[in-house]
Amino acid sequence: MDNTMGRGVLLVFCAIFAVAFGASGYWAGLRPLAETALAAWTVRQWQPVPAQVLDVQLKQHPGSEGGTTYQVQARYRYTVAGQAYEGQRVGLDLRPGADNVGDWQAQWHRTLRQAQERGEPVTAWVNPQAPGQALLDRSIRWRLQIFRLPFALVFTGVGVAAAWMFLRILWRPKEDAQDLE
């Protein structure tokens, strides 16, 4: 009975680690890395058009451990084939958020604020097949990608290792499971 109880506890422990670390690694690391790579590949054929900055803000959010995170938010207008469009996307991330990785957010805020104040256009990159899709920066934020890498590798690795242990314990014959006690 103790052997079965110990085995059950180990199975639950491994399952919790597999799900928690696997999901964290996926959502905070693998998924954003893959989405950024796919977006960079997709926008490489987009066409440059001049865009007028309508509004730009640098939002500040309280971060963990007393730090501050920043998020540039912009609205710009551009014209393709005589049709006017408005865009809000600045970088490659489909779900942009606040961060404090490097000064990308502040640099884009400064660049867009200056363009707005001077009435100068900025370059928007527009999808020729769907002109309603545009962005301002089609370069990969390498510092952000490097920040995401440990989540993708370490957290996912721990999740996979825990899942492997779960399966190993589950499939181990009961008489061999005494070695785990």
Side-chain angles (χ1 to χ4, degrees), residues 42-181:
T42 301
V43 303
R44 75 190 194 293
Q45 300 297 328
W46 289 15
Q47 303 299 311
V49 298
Q52 201 63 39
V53 179
L54 303 174
D55 184 42
V56 61
Q57 298 176 22
L58 186 63
K59 299 285 186 177
Q60 296 184 24
H61 305 279
S64 61
E65 301 175 18
T68 303
T69 60
Y70 302 92
Q71 180 180 14
V72 64
Q73 294 180 340
R75 218 169 37 87
Y76 49 92
R77 181 176 295 126
Y78 58 96
T79 304
V80 175
Q83 172 93 22
Y85 297 91
E86 276 193 22
Q88 295 181 347
R89 188 171 169 192
V90 178
L92 289 173
D93 283 341
L94 295 173
R95 289 174 294 282
D99 66 64
N100 56 7
V101 179
D103 60 352
W104 183 88
Q105 307 275 3
Q107 281 184 356
W108 269 102
H109 176 259
R110 190 171 32 261
T111 298
L112 296 172
R113 173 66 67 205
Q114 288 174 353
Q116 183 185 29
E117 289 172 354
R118 296 175 183 163
E120 297 173 347
V122 295
T123 300
W125 295 90
V126 177
N127 182 346
Q129 279 78 41
Q133 296 177 351
L135 60 83
L136 301 177
D137 184 7
R138 57 184 197 158
S139 62
I140 294 174
R141 292 181 59 196
W142 289 108
R143 290 175 110 183
L144 183 59
Q145 297 304 85
I146 290 168
F147 175 79
R148 291 171 171 162
L149 206 53
F151 292 99
L153 298 176
V154 175
F155 280 65
T156 304
V158 169
V160 167
W164 178 78
M165 283 300 297
F166 176 88
L167 294 174
R168 187 168 177 222
I169 294 166
L170 185 65
W171 290 335
R172 180 178 284 232
K174 286 187 180 182
E175 55 274 358
D176 290 346
Q178 290 177 356
D179 296 340
L180 297 174
E181 298 289 318

